PDB file of all heavy atoms in Angstrom:
ATOM      1  N   SER A  57       6.725  23.405 -10.208  1.00 93.00           N
ATOM      2  CA  SER A  57       5.954  24.592 -10.512  1.00 93.00           C
ATOM      3  C   SER A  57       5.576  25.291  -9.297  1.00 93.00           C
ATOM      4  O   SER A  57       5.123  24.690  -8.363  1.00 93.00           O
ATOM      5  CB  SER A  57       4.681  24.094 -11.204  1.00 93.00           C
ATOM      6  OG  SER A  57       4.985  23.421 -12.525  1.00 93.00           O
ATOM      7  N   SER A  58       5.799  26.572  -9.329  1.00 90.00           N
ATOM      8  CA  SER A  58       5.463  27.414  -8.085  1.00 90.00           C
ATOM      9  C   SER A  58       4.177  28.160  -8.388  1.00 90.00           C
ATOM     10  O   SER A  58       3.910  28.574  -9.348  1.00 90.00           O
ATOM     11  CB  SER A  58       6.673  28.370  -7.959  1.00 90.00           C
ATOM     12  OG  SER A  58       6.239  29.319  -6.923  1.00 90.00           O
ATOM     13  N   GLU A  59       3.341  28.094  -7.315  1.00 86.00           N
ATOM     14  CA  GLU A  59       1.988  28.811  -7.421  1.00 86.00           C
ATOM     15  C   GLU A  59       1.949  30.148  -6.779  1.00 86.00           C
ATOM     16  O   GLU A  59       1.172  30.951  -7.256  1.00 86.00           O
ATOM     17  CB  GLU A  59       0.989  27.867  -6.738  1.00 86.00           C
ATOM     18  CG  GLU A  59       0.713  26.606  -7.573  1.00 86.00           C
ATOM     19  CD  GLU A  59       0.061  26.870  -8.823  1.00 86.00           C
ATOM     20  OE1 GLU A  59      -1.050  27.497  -8.843  1.00 86.00           O
ATOM     21  OE2 GLU A  59       0.677  26.596  -9.882  1.00 86.00           O
ATOM     22  N   VAL A  60       2.781  30.373  -5.831  1.00 81.00           N
ATOM     23  CA  VAL A  60       2.707  31.725  -5.059  1.00 81.00           C
ATOM     24  C   VAL A  60       4.171  32.166  -4.909  1.00 81.00           C
ATOM     25  O   VAL A  60       4.988  31.527  -4.384  1.00 81.00           O
ATOM     26  CB  VAL A  60       2.020  31.464  -3.693  1.00 81.00           C
ATOM     27  CG1 VAL A  60       2.027  32.814  -3.040  1.00 81.00           C
ATOM     28  CG2 VAL A  60       0.631  30.886  -3.905  1.00 81.00           C
ATOM     29  N   PRO A  61       4.459  33.370  -5.276  1.00 71.00           N
ATOM     30  CA  PRO A  61       5.749  34.012  -5.142  1.00 71.00           C
ATOM     31  C   PRO A  61       5.997  34.100  -3.609  1.00 71.00           C
ATOM     32  O   PRO A  61       5.096  34.570  -2.999  1.00 71.00           O
ATOM     33  CB  PRO A  61       5.701  35.442  -5.737  1.00 71.00           C
ATOM     34  CG  PRO A  61       4.515  35.325  -6.620  1.00 71.00           C
ATOM     35  CD  PRO A  61       3.642  34.358  -6.134  1.00 71.00           C
ATOM     36  N   GLN A  62       7.243  33.620  -3.100  1.00 81.00           N
ATOM     37  CA  GLN A  62       7.465  33.666  -1.733  1.00 81.00           C
ATOM     38  C   GLN A  62       8.894  33.504  -1.419  1.00 81.00           C
ATOM     39  O   GLN A  62       9.665  33.282  -2.456  1.00 81.00           O
ATOM     40  CB  GLN A  62       6.631  32.572  -1.070  1.00 81.00           C
ATOM     41  CG  GLN A  62       6.953  31.126  -1.776  1.00 81.00           C
ATOM     42  CD  GLN A  62       5.765  30.270  -1.661  1.00 81.00           C
ATOM     43  OE1 GLN A  62       5.145  30.219  -0.578  1.00 81.00           O
ATOM     44  NE2 GLN A  62       5.387  29.713  -2.792  1.00 81.00           N
ATOM     45  N   ASN A  63       9.242  33.230  -0.227  1.00 89.00           N
ATOM     46  CA  ASN A  63      10.526  32.978   0.299  1.00 89.00           C
ATOM     47  C   ASN A  63      10.934  31.609   0.264  1.00 89.00           C
ATOM     48  O   ASN A  63      11.909  31.246   0.870  1.00 89.00           O
ATOM     49  CB  ASN A  63      10.550  33.540   1.724  1.00 89.00           C
ATOM     50  CG  ASN A  63      11.875  33.674   2.327  1.00 89.00           C
ATOM     51  OD1 ASN A  63      12.914  33.910   1.714  1.00 89.00           O
ATOM     52  ND2 ASN A  63      12.037  33.225   3.693  1.00 89.00           N
ATOM     53  N   LEU A  64      10.171  30.743  -0.367  1.00 95.00           N
ATOM     54  CA  LEU A  64      10.450  29.247  -0.270  1.00 95.00           C
ATOM     55  C   LEU A  64      10.689  28.722  -1.704  1.00 95.00           C
ATOM     56  O   LEU A  64      10.459  29.306  -2.714  1.00 95.00           O
ATOM     57  CB  LEU A  64       9.112  28.548   0.250  1.00 95.00           C
ATOM     58  CG  LEU A  64       8.716  28.943   1.638  1.00 95.00           C
ATOM     59  CD1 LEU A  64       7.284  28.427   1.897  1.00 95.00           C
ATOM     60  CD2 LEU A  64       9.703  28.593   2.750  1.00 95.00           C
ATOM     61  N   SER A  65      11.325  27.570  -1.648  1.00 96.00           N
ATOM     62  CA  SER A  65      11.617  26.947  -2.951  1.00 96.00           C
ATOM     63  C   SER A  65      11.418  25.405  -2.696  1.00 96.00           C
ATOM     64  O   SER A  65      11.373  24.828  -1.511  1.00 96.00           O
ATOM     65  CB  SER A  65      13.041  27.103  -3.509  1.00 96.00           C
ATOM     66  OG  SER A  65      14.019  26.534  -2.390  1.00 96.00           O
ATOM     67  N   ALA A  66      11.216  24.602  -3.805  1.00 97.00           N
ATOM     68  CA  ALA A  66      11.013  23.260  -3.629  1.00 97.00           C
ATOM     69  C   ALA A  66      11.989  22.435  -4.708  1.00 97.00           C
ATOM     70  O   ALA A  66      12.338  22.971  -5.797  1.00 97.00           O
ATOM     71  CB  ALA A  66       9.534  22.764  -3.908  1.00 97.00           C
ATOM     72  N   SER A  67      12.292  21.174  -4.355  1.00 97.00           N
ATOM     73  CA  SER A  67      13.186  20.411  -5.262  1.00 97.00           C
ATOM     74  C   SER A  67      12.565  19.064  -5.166  1.00 97.00           C
ATOM     75  O   SER A  67      12.027  18.537  -4.167  1.00 97.00           O
ATOM     76  CB  SER A  67      14.617  20.522  -4.819  1.00 97.00           C
ATOM     77  OG  SER A  67      14.798  19.914  -3.559  1.00 97.00           O
ATOM     78  N   ARG A  68      12.811  18.243  -6.293  1.00 97.00           N
ATOM     79  CA  ARG A  68      12.488  16.849  -6.355  1.00 97.00           C
ATOM     80  C   ARG A  68      13.632  16.123  -6.916  1.00 97.00           C
ATOM     81  O   ARG A  68      13.717  15.945  -8.048  1.00 97.00           O
ATOM     82  CB  ARG A  68      11.276  16.548  -7.179  1.00 97.00           C
ATOM     83  CG  ARG A  68      10.704  15.185  -7.138  1.00 97.00           C
ATOM     84  CD  ARG A  68       9.308  15.163  -7.835  1.00 97.00           C
ATOM     85  NE  ARG A  68       8.918  13.722  -7.977  1.00 97.00           N
ATOM     86  CZ  ARG A  68       7.630  13.415  -8.365  1.00 97.00           C
ATOM     87  NH1 ARG A  68       6.874  14.329  -8.779  1.00 97.00           N
ATOM     88  NH2 ARG A  68       7.359  12.140  -8.524  1.00 97.00           N
ATOM     89  N   PRO A  69      14.553  15.714  -6.027  1.00 96.00           N
ATOM     90  CA  PRO A  69      15.835  15.044  -6.490  1.00 96.00           C
ATOM     91  C   PRO A  69      15.617  13.626  -6.885  1.00 96.00           C
ATOM     92  O   PRO A  69      16.432  12.960  -7.588  1.00 96.00           O
ATOM     93  CB  PRO A  69      16.725  15.196  -5.275  1.00 96.00           C
ATOM     94  CG  PRO A  69      15.775  15.263  -4.100  1.00 96.00           C
ATOM     95  CD  PRO A  69      14.592  16.058  -4.542  1.00 96.00           C
ATOM     96  N   GLN A  70      14.623  12.962  -6.341  1.00 95.00           N
ATOM     97  CA  GLN A  70      14.287  11.538  -6.623  1.00 95.00           C
ATOM     98  C   GLN A  70      12.840  11.412  -6.897  1.00 95.00           C
ATOM     99  O   GLN A  70      11.984  12.356  -6.529  1.00 95.00           O
ATOM    100  CB  GLN A  70      14.659  10.760  -5.436  1.00 95.00           C
ATOM    101  CG  GLN A  70      16.141  10.702  -5.151  1.00 95.00           C
ATOM    102  CD  GLN A  70      16.529   9.811  -4.044  1.00 95.00           C
ATOM    103  OE1 GLN A  70      16.150   8.665  -4.022  1.00 95.00           O
ATOM    104  NE2 GLN A  70      17.270  10.300  -3.105  1.00 95.00           N
TER     105      GLN A  70
END
Side-chain angles (χ1 to χ4, degrees):
Chain A
S57 296
S58 174
E59 289 296 297
V60 181
Q62 59 208 312
N63 185 42
L64 302 169
S65 63
S67 62
R68 186 167 176 177
Q70 300 181 44

